[in-house]
Amino acid sequence: MEHITLVLVMVIVTALAFDFTNGFHDTANAMATTISTGAMRPRAAVVMSAALNLVGAFLSIEVARTISGGIVDERGLRTEVIFAALVGAILWNLLTWLLGLPSSSSHALFGGLIGAAVMSAGWSSVHGSTVVTKVLLPAVAAPVVAGLGALVATRLTYRLGRGAAEGSTTRGYRAGQIASAGLVSLAHGTNDAQKTMGIITLALVTGGVLAPGSNPPVWVIASAGLAIALGTYIGGWRIIRTMGRGLTDLAPQQGFAAQTSAATAILASSQLGFSLSTTQVCSGAVMGAGLGRSGAVVRWSTATRMLVAWCLTLPAAGLVGAGAELLAGRGPWGIAATAVLLVAASGTVWNLARRRPVTHANVNDPEPRTPAPGMLAADAVVREDTASPAAAPSAATSPASSLARPAPGPAATAPGVPVAPVTVPAPVPSPGESPAPAAAPGGTAP
């Protein structure tokens, strides 16, 4: 019994760690368009989103019921299986965050749970009908519905605002964006925080602490809400950049339409018990809003990368979950080894992310591009020169200063080495012409 209690504590801690990664992985769902259009400052946006995620966690438990007793057969399920499922979900979340891909944390969790359950008890432990009706079908339908809704809303928004002044319209829609972003954050807490509630409740049932079919206790709801809110506050800036700048360039009208459509779809699905992917819904809404404005461009290369990540999420997380269950099922040493591998892999991803950090300060910068090999040296010189206080002459320099240019050669390309200007002699006047007036000190004509 003592061993079961220790494993149960490990599962609860790991589930809250997954909830934390879910928070910073999915911050972009609510706040990417608000940040990219300038409606809110990045740090203020994630603070508001975190607070509303916490509130949303207390609004419903229908999705938690779907996970705790719907996807897999909880009878005979061991607690180690849930631990292995969480390992698969966390590692996939971290990998896609490193790549800046807004994949589904929900499907990562489902994939890990299905893979670990199949490895432990076979395919009969998975409720296939529930997976199809409440996971796969919403995964296909929700982005399409949200995208069509955002497309129609965007066109209607521009049509209604044709005669209005552009400045007042932009200010009004930015205020509307803040309200709709708050609604998406509330919906995200209502849907995604419940997934961790369901997993912890399932672990408590398998550990004999709760009876099958029980609702999540209040402490489970509160801890899941706090974990996802903290993760949201940290901010998944890499994915925010992809959602806000990578798919399309959004105006405030488009951002308002996209967020309103996404929030409507997520809240409706939460009440029906559909464990919807908020990432897929919000991504579909952003693409729909991009198509709704005349002349806008949707970057289909980025959209294709996202679609590939969506298709790989369930099987990839399932394979990792199955592998983790294969190791954790060996006994206490297997569980300890799985935990060590999880920590080591998470630390590796974190160190890789630090090589090219994305923060609230540069989240709205364009995506970095790899220069051609011949441009690397020139790029280094430009970076060195622009970082120096006395790098370039002021824009107020007079036209005559263009006569003094750095001499070509090694001295012109070595950063930090003073370069003597080369003075271009004045033109010699032809016979019969008067000589040009001499330049006054400072390079200006008298």
Side-chain angles (χ1 to χ4, degrees):
M1 188 70 178
E2 182 179 354
H3 166 65
I4 294 295
T5 303
L6 177 61
V7 174
L8 189 58
V9 170
M10 289 181 62
V11 168
I12 293 172
V13 172
T14 309
L16 294 177
F18 165 77
D19 207 22
F20 176 81
T21 66
N22 191 351
F24 74 73
H25 196 279
D26 290 1
T27 308
N29 299 341
M31 290 299 166
T33 58
T34 306
I35 293 171
S36 67
T37 60
M40 290 188 73
R41 294 181 180 274
R43 185 57 73 184
V46 296
V47 169
M48 185 185 82
S49 183
L52 291 172
N53 268 214
L54 177 59
V55 174
F58 290 87
L59 296 184
S60 174
I61 59 170
E62 293 301 320
V63 175
R65 286 176 177 172
T66 298
I67 294 175
S68 62
I71 293 179
V72 297
D73 190 354
E74 58 191 13
R75 295 172 298 179
L77 195 66
R78 294 180 296 113
T79 310
E80 291 87 343
V81 175
I82 304 173
F83 175 67
L86 291 167
V87 170
I90 290 173
L91 290 180
W92 182 255
N93 266 359
L94 291 176
L95 177 62
T96 50
W97 166 75
L98 177 65
L99 298 175
L101 291 175
S103 68
S104 171
S105 298
S106 308
H107 289 180
L109 180 59
F110 301 150
L113 185 58
I114 292 170
V118 169
M119 177 60 68
S120 174
W123 286 101
S124 60
S125 62
V126 179
H127 297 157
S129 60
T130 303
V131 172
V132 171
T133 57
K134 296 209 169 184
V135 177
L136 296 181
L137 288 181
V140 175
V144 176
V145 171
L148 290 175
L151 188 150
V152 172
T154 299
R155 292 190 175 177
L156 183 62
T157 296
Y158 275 102
R159 184 176 295 275
L160 293 176
R162 275 186 305 186
E166 183 177 352
S168 59
T169 301
T170 300
R171 286 192 298 271
Y173 279 111
R174 280 181 175 169
Q177 255 194 293
I178 296 173
S180 60
L183 191 59
V184 173
S185 298
L186 194 70
H188 183 257
T190 304
N191 197 283
D192 278 43
Q194 289 188 59
K195 294 159 189 170
T196 301
M197 296 178 207
I199 284 292
I200 295 177
T201 303
L202 182 60
L204 294 174
V205 170
T206 59
V209 178
L210 294 177
S214 298
N215 290 332
V218 175
W219 69 267
V220 172
I221 298 174
S223 59
L226 286 171
I228 200 170
L230 181 60
T232 303
Y233 173 74
I234 296 298
W237 304 111
R238 292 174 179 273
I239 302 178
I240 289 176
R241 172 187 281 179
T242 301
M243 286 276 284
R245 295 282 182 179
L247 277 174
T248 185
D249 295 322
L250 294 177
Q253 293 92 325
Q254 294 169 280
F256 173 73
Q259 289 171 318
T260 304
S261 302
T264 303
I266 295 169
L267 287 173
S269 68
S270 297
Q271 295 304 313
L272 295 174
F274 291 149
S275 186
L276 203 64
S277 167
T278 55
T279 300
Q280 294 179 356
V281 173
C282 294
S283 300
V286 168
M287 285 189 280
L291 294 172
R293 179 168 66 92
S294 177
V297 176
V298 174
R299 298 177 181 92
W300 294 110
S301 59
T302 302
T304 302
R305 288 173 54 219
M306 290 170 51
L307 181 61
V308 170
W310 293 354
C311 294
L312 289 177
T313 296
L314 271 172
L319 286 174
V320 178
E325 165 57 20
L326 182 63
L327 181 59
R330 302 294 181 182
W333 71 267
I335 297 174
T338 304
V340 170
L341 289 175
L342 174 61
V343 173
S346 301
T348 301
V349 172
W350 178 257
N351 285 329
L352 291 174
R354 291 179 62 187
R355 295 181 180 180
R356 185 175 289 178
V358 181
T359 67
H360 67 281
N362 65 351
V363 67
N364 277 334
D365 292 349
E367 287 281 351
R369 300 182 180 222
T370 303
M375 294 294 293
L376 290 175
D379 181 67
V381 173
V382 171
R383 289 178 182 272
E384 180 80 17
D385 290 344
T386 54
S388 174
S394 169
T397 306
S398 63
S401 63
S402 62
L403 297 177
R405 300 185 182 276
T413 58
V417 179
V419 180
V422 177
T423 304
V424 180
V428 179
S430 59
E433 286 185 349
S434 59
T444 58

